[in-house]
Amino acid sequence: MSSRKLLNDCFAHGGTRLRHDEAVALITGRLSCVTAVRRVPLRAATGRWLAAPVTAPRDVPLHRNAAVDGYAFAAPAPEGTLPVAARIAAGDLAPRRLAPGTAARIFTGAPVPEGADSVAMQEDCSITPDGITLPHGLKRGANVRQIGEDVAKGAEILSPGARLRPQDIAALASFGLASVRVQAPVRVAVLSNGDELRDPGGSIAPGQVFDSNRTMLKALIATLPCTVTDLGILPDQAPRIEAAIAEAARNHDLILTSGGVSQGEEDHVVAAIDRLGSRHLWQIAIKPGRPMSFGQIGDCVFLGLPGNPVAAFVCFLLYARPAIVALGGGTPDEPTRYHLPAGFSQTKKPGRREFWRGWLETTPQGPVARKFARDGSGLISGLRRASGLIEVLEDETQVTEGAAVRFLPFDQFGIQG
Ligand code: AMP
Ligand code: MG
């Protein structure tokens, strides 16, 4: 029996040019979870993908309790003064049954005794030497939290693939669970290759550029439950590149690179993937983005993003991110598109989907989407100005000021806005 987790040649496809949605559907449809399952304590579970459903093992709350500090009584509230027959604090177990015609002093979280069904807020009660006078018109059940009103025992509260948020951790803790089964982090190796690239911190000469993509990709990967191995800038020597990639493929789930992924000749990384496994050049009808390489060596996926920083960034969000989610056992989710009036006009070529760098501006009429003026896919300044992407669909040829555009905030991709 094969222990392989991925399909053979999972990125093969018949078409020549892919639409954006076709590319996303192929990635999320073909890739499956490759990571192991681990039980981790709650403190280590935030941001991880859940591996097994969680069912509430008991009711929350476990007992009927007071939502405020005040006086417990049986509705309807009797007229006149009621003697205070008991005092029940949070943490008191099984208080005695409340006698008819009496009230009990009670504190937030304390169990409401048998014989009572409502709690009056202390601020609304008048205290007299003989007892208390209750406010009028309180409904039966007022200020009482019922058993299981937050979550009922047996309810499935989290499904596999959910990304655990602080509020989910709170729910798990409220059931008394101290640990949870999650997927192990996706093991990602990042590398660069190109004679012009230099590592930041070192010297540079005209004709060379600092390798900004590798650091950017590591920062993007850090928004997901992954571990990263930095393979550095690989020198332009085929045998060394091939050896480094073969080694990385043995103990990583994904090898990610940018630049030099389209042609061959000078593109040693893709040549190495071709020799070690299988690879396909995907022409996706989007801008920014040039062809991208999608490949695999056994169960290790290879993704070659475009070299231009803006294209590398956008293609990471659109394609590498859902690939990592699928490999890591998460549920890939389409980012929400907000329809907002455009604060600019611009024409566009038909036949491809474009992702412009944009941000929101508040006007007296409400928020409008603005666009970075220059489109160059090498301009990191445009990425920095932006807080999201303006998506213009394949068949659109014109965005007109005041008409609705689709805005995808970066926080939809796990990046702070
Ligand atoms: P390529 O895809 O290799 O043709 O590269 C396209 C552009 O992206 C060129 O200007 C490269 O210098 C630039 N580029 C490629 N890799 C990187 C990188 N790691 N960091 C910054 N720029 C890069
Ligand atoms: Mg290059």
Side-chain angles (χ1 to χ4, degrees), residues 57-81:
R58 49 179 68 86
D59 288 312
V60 179
L62 201 52
H63 58 273
R64 211 162 58 123
N65 69 91
V68 295
D69 292 339
Y71 294 88
F73 64 97
E79 295 287 333
T81 301

Side-chain angles (χ1 to χ4, degrees), residues 199-211:
D199 265 322
S203 61
I204 196 158
Q208 300 177 325
V209 290
F210 285 120
D211 179 353

Side-chain angles (χ1 to χ4, degrees), residues 256-405:
L256 195 61
T257 190
S258 65
V261 292
S262 48
Q263 296 316 318
E265 217 172 325
E266 286 295 307
D267 295 342
H268 301 287
V269 172
V270 292
I273 306 292
D274 288 341
R275 283 193 295 274
L276 295 166
S278 53
R279 183 183 65 92
H280 298 274
L281 198 62
W282 281 21
Q283 298 276 3
I284 308 178
I286 64 153
K287 187 186 170 192
R290 282 219 325 219
M292 264 173 287
S293 276
F294 286 78
Q296 77 191 110
I297 303 168
D299 270 340
C300 178
V301 166
F302 170 79
L303 278 185
L305 300 170
N308 277 312
V310 175
F313 185 91
V314 170
C315 291
F316 179 92
L317 298 186
L318 299 179
Y319 309 113
R321 195 171 197 280
I324 293 173
V325 174
L327 291 171
T331 307
D333 44 351
E334 268 296 306
T336 302
R337 273 87 168 160
Y338 295 90
H339 293 244
L340 293 159
F344 61 93
S345 296
Q346 172 118 356
T347 57
K348 167 187 157 290
K349 282 189 191 160
R352 68 185 184 201
R353 193 177 295 210
E354 299 199 2
F355 294 92
W356 299 340
R357 275 66 70 205
W359 63 92
L360 299 183
E361 223 162 83
T362 309
T363 71
Q365 288 72 44
V368 298
R370 299 245 182 249
K371 173 187 176 296
F372 194 67
R374 291 178 296 155
D375 287 322
S377 63
L379 303 172
I380 296 177
S381 46
L383 275 183
R384 293 192 50 247
R385 180 67 186 86
S387 61
L389 299 173
I390 295 167
E391 180 184 49
V392 194
L393 298 182
E394 287 79 355
D395 52 0
E396 293 180 284
T397 55
Q398 168 80 47
V399 170
T400 311
E401 185 160 2
V405 283

Side-chain angles (χ1 to χ4, degrees), residues 74-108:
E79 295 287 333
T81 301
L82 253 74
V84 178
R87 187 179 185 282
I88 311 160
D92 287 354
L93 304 179
R96 264 194 298 153
R97 188 180 178 87
L98 191 67
T102 68
R105 178 77 171 116
I106 197 164
F107 299 93
T108 306

